[in-house]
Amino acid sequence: MAANSRTTARKTATRPVRTVREAAPAEAEVREDTGLSPADAQEIEAEGHYLSADLCGEELDIVPSGAWRQTTMRKLNNNQMDAFMEDVLSPESYELYLELDPTNAELGDFISAASETSGEPVGKSGGPSRSSRRTRRR
């Protein structure tokens, strides 16, 4: 019968036993762009309350950006702004939004302000950066 790893003696040294280190207590990092710590942003989102943001001089109540559903994000990506705003605004704010009839620039500023208030930026992630090394040519 041939030898296998279960029946033969080990010829290599065994690894030392790893000890579990306790994680250092994380200090609350305050994001410079929003002034909120990640814990505060999560608390706002978890409470499920609307946040207030300014649109054309009026305060509208909007759901925190981290709580937006994927169907809502698809509406935003497909530029279905009225359907998107109906999903993310409170019913009273949606009626006011329809009366205000904002421009695209005003709407973009409103979404940016709302995402800053919630502590989460909205938009495409930066993703991994390209390597600074060039591929070697042959």
Side-chain angles (χ1 to χ4, degrees):
M1 181 153 89
N4 64 34
S5 62
R6 290 183 296 167
T7 60
T8 59
R10 282 199 148 164
K11 295 179 182 174
T12 59
T14 59
R15 291 187 197 175
V17 177
R18 296 179 80 185
T19 59
V20 178
R21 293 186 289 175
E22 290 185 30
E27 295 180 19
E29 296 178 17
V30 176
R31 291 185 51 159
E32 294 176 13
D33 56 345
T34 63
L36 291 174
S37 70
D40 291 339
Q42 282 182 338
E43 188 174 323
I44 289 171
E45 183 179 324
E47 289 175 357
H49 295 271
Y50 289 104
L51 302 172
S52 294
D54 186 56
L55 177 65
C56 302
E58 297 286 336
E59 287 287 321
L60 298 182
D61 296 327
I62 186 168
V63 175
S65 59
W68 295 348
R69 297 243 176 234
Q70 291 303 306
T71 54
T72 303
M73 291 302 294
R74 281 193 288 275
K75 291 175 186 175
L76 178 62
N77 292 333
N78 290 327
N79 293 323
Q80 299 172 351
M81 298 313 290
D82 288 339
F84 166 75
M85 295 302 275
E86 185 176 16
D87 286 355
V88 298
L89 293 176
S90 68
E92 299 84 20
S93 293
Y94 180 68
E95 293 299 322
L96 183 56
Y97 157 77
L98 291 175
E99 291 174 17
L100 292 172
D101 194 26
T103 64
N104 284 337
E106 293 167 334
L107 201 53
D109 292 340
F110 171 73
I111 298 296
S112 296
S115 67
E116 287 176 9
T117 303
S118 71
E120 297 181 18
V122 176
K124 296 181 179 179
S125 65
S129 61
R130 292 185 63 173
S131 174
S132 60
R133 282 190 183 170
R134 294 182 176 202
T135 55
R136 186 174 163 190
R137 291 187 177 178
R138 295 184 186 189

